DNA sequence: CAGTGGTCTAGACCACACT
DNA sequence: GTGTGGTCTAGACCACTGC
């Protein structure tokens, strides 16, 4: 699978396209990386869906004609990236946002008490949901073309009846065709679980940019706060498999009774 | 190393200390975990110091009487926790805050340009450095007793001559005996590198709580900003080996030209 | 060239879950 | 019991570094 070959000794000149961009990285890729890519393709193609089990390590080893240890290392990496979940004695499962004990996998906001349970489940209110054309900045962040159709959602999350988060979301219109405010309201559970089960788009990774801001009048009204209360501005881009951006989310977090938690290592 | 034993069938009652705290987790610990603990002890004891190489995998395997694979798995975990750094062909090194390409390992603030180099190195100004008695809240966060001596440091970081970060630090007085403003000013390089080389305290992990706040008059003066400019409030607790808290840091970040970056997965 | 970490294999056995 | 992932071993070979 990794023949270097291509000696320039043969009479016929080698293909320029191959010779020209002298491989600074000699394109060596270990077997388990190649297996990892194959597994990723099966995930992406939908052969194995979220919350279902993938074949056993032995089966995969037979399928790919490698040893169990090599499959194991590939799965280890995918598990450490939270794409797969290993369960001893049962099997290896495709990660999911549904049926997950932690309700909001990408939400780092915690109550001051530190106890997530104490405040109970969040109340969610869909304020708005409409189709618009992507502005230049939003198109750029979603890696689509300006003017393409995007779904724009605005919602408010409340904890213990206290409005705490105001979020605006932008989703590629074609992928999320048929998503309406009604469906969002009807669905119980995390929004990312809905994306996954209804639209086949599992969010796998996200990147956030955080700033401190003061809200405008409209934002104040929705969060029932004042223009003098500083808020966390959290811009998130969420990605599916292969680092394809699938959601842009701009949130405002009230941090008088909650805080954003992060761990560094 | 993991005999379960202790049947209650024998005539003599078993040692109460062993029986009493009925092991809910049967205290099974894989070999590589035990090796990991041994390696950690050598790191903690200073047998292997930051930026030096630890013995080769083969040597460690011989020392602990296990196979190379088992040592490898232990090292793999320590490397993934950033306690060790593997360098192919050279050896495995103890992680360090000095000689590191990224200057500030725990600082997540980036310029809007995204290019760290563009703004050049930060200018650092030590505003204050004095010994005080730990207040109740600071003592609690540092896991020491109220009233114990702590070193309190205040400094300002500027990027491109623009004050951007105001930080207050608290350090356990006994561990950091002899640390003065002069030494802080004299030292070139990250503060955590100084802690590591001069006081033998390598910071290994940190946890942050982030909020949005408005600064008071004094803070405004130091950051040359207004009381109407919202700031990120970042409370960080930094830990050495074995999750021992060694520093409390409260920072105020200006986010008009910079943002706090976080990635979720 | 020798020494180090990195990959790959094959086989044995253990811990866990389900039936 | 059977099947799954988890651990451990031993040995071979590859890729990288520096002498």
């Amino acid at each position: 699978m990794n023949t270097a070959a291509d000696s320039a000794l043969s009479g016929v000149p080698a293909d320029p396209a191959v010779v020209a961009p002298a491989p600074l990285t000699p394109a060596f890729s270990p077997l388990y990386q190649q297996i990892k890519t194959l597994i990723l393709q099966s995930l992406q193609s939908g052969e194995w869906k979220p919350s279902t089990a993938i074949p056993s390590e032995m089966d995969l080893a037979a399928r790919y004609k490698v040893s169990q240890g090599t499959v194991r290392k590939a799965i280890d990496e995918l598990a450490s990236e939270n794409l797969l979940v290993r369960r001893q004695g049962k099997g290896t499962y495709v990660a999911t946002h549904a049926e997950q004990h932690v309700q909001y996998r990408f939400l780092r906001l915690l109550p001051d008490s530190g106890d997530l349970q104490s405040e109970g489940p969040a109340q969610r209110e869909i304020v708005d949901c409409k189709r618009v054309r992507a502005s230049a900045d939003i198109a750029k962040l979603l890696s689509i073309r300006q003017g393409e159709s995007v779904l724009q959602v605005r919602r408010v999350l409340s904890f213990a009846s206290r409005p705490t988060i105001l979020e605006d979301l932008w989703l590629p219109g074609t992928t999320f065709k048929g998503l309406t405010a009604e469906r969002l309201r009807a669905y119980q559970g995390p929004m990312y679980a809905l994306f996954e089960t209804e639209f086949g788009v599992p969010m796998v990774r996200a990147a956030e940019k955080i700033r401190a801001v003061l809200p405008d009048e409209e934002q104040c009204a929705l969060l029932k706060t004042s223009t003098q209360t500083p808020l966390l501005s959290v811009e998130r881009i969420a990605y599916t498999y292969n680092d394809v951006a699938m959601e842009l989310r701009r949130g405002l977090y009230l941090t008088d009774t909650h805080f954003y938690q992060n761990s560094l290592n």
Side-chain angles (χ1 to χ4, degrees), chain A residues 176-252:
Chain A
F176 290 91
K177 195 179 325 198
L179 182 55
T180 62
E182 287 67 42
R183 277 180 89 175
L184 282 169
R185 290 198 187 94
Y187 192 84
Q188 303 295 76
M191 198 179 287
Y192 287 140
L194 183 148
F195 294 169
E196 177 181 297
T197 54
E198 309 283 313
F199 298 92
V201 180
M203 298 300 189
V204 147
R205 190 179 75 77
E208 295 188 334
K209 292 185 179 184
I210 305 171
R211 297 179 143 89
V213 300
L214 290 177
D216 62 28
E217 301 284 355
E218 187 184 2
Q219 294 162 343
C220 281
L222 287 162
L223 281 172
K224 297 194 170 59
T225 184
S226 85
T227 54
Q228 292 311 297
T229 304
L231 304 174
L232 278 192
S233 154
V234 180
E235 177 178 282
R236 175 195 301 167
I237 302 176
Y239 301 84
T240 12
Y241 298 129
N242 279 52
D243 288 338
V244 178
M246 269 297 166
E247 182 204 58
L248 168 63
R249 192 179 285 216
R250 288 186 175 144
L252 291 178

Side-chain angles (χ1 to χ4, degrees), chain A residues 131-160:
Chain A
R131 245 151 236 292
V132 299
R133 305 220 159 268
S135 64
D137 64 326
I138 289 181
K140 186 178 179 189
L141 292 168
L142 280 177
S143 301
I144 60 178
R145 284 191 304 279
Q146 182 178 352
E148 276 192 48
S149 165
V150 293
L151 199 67
Q152 182 175 343
V153 180
R154 167 168 285 191
R155 70 164 180 175
V156 175
L157 290 186
S158 300
F159 298 102

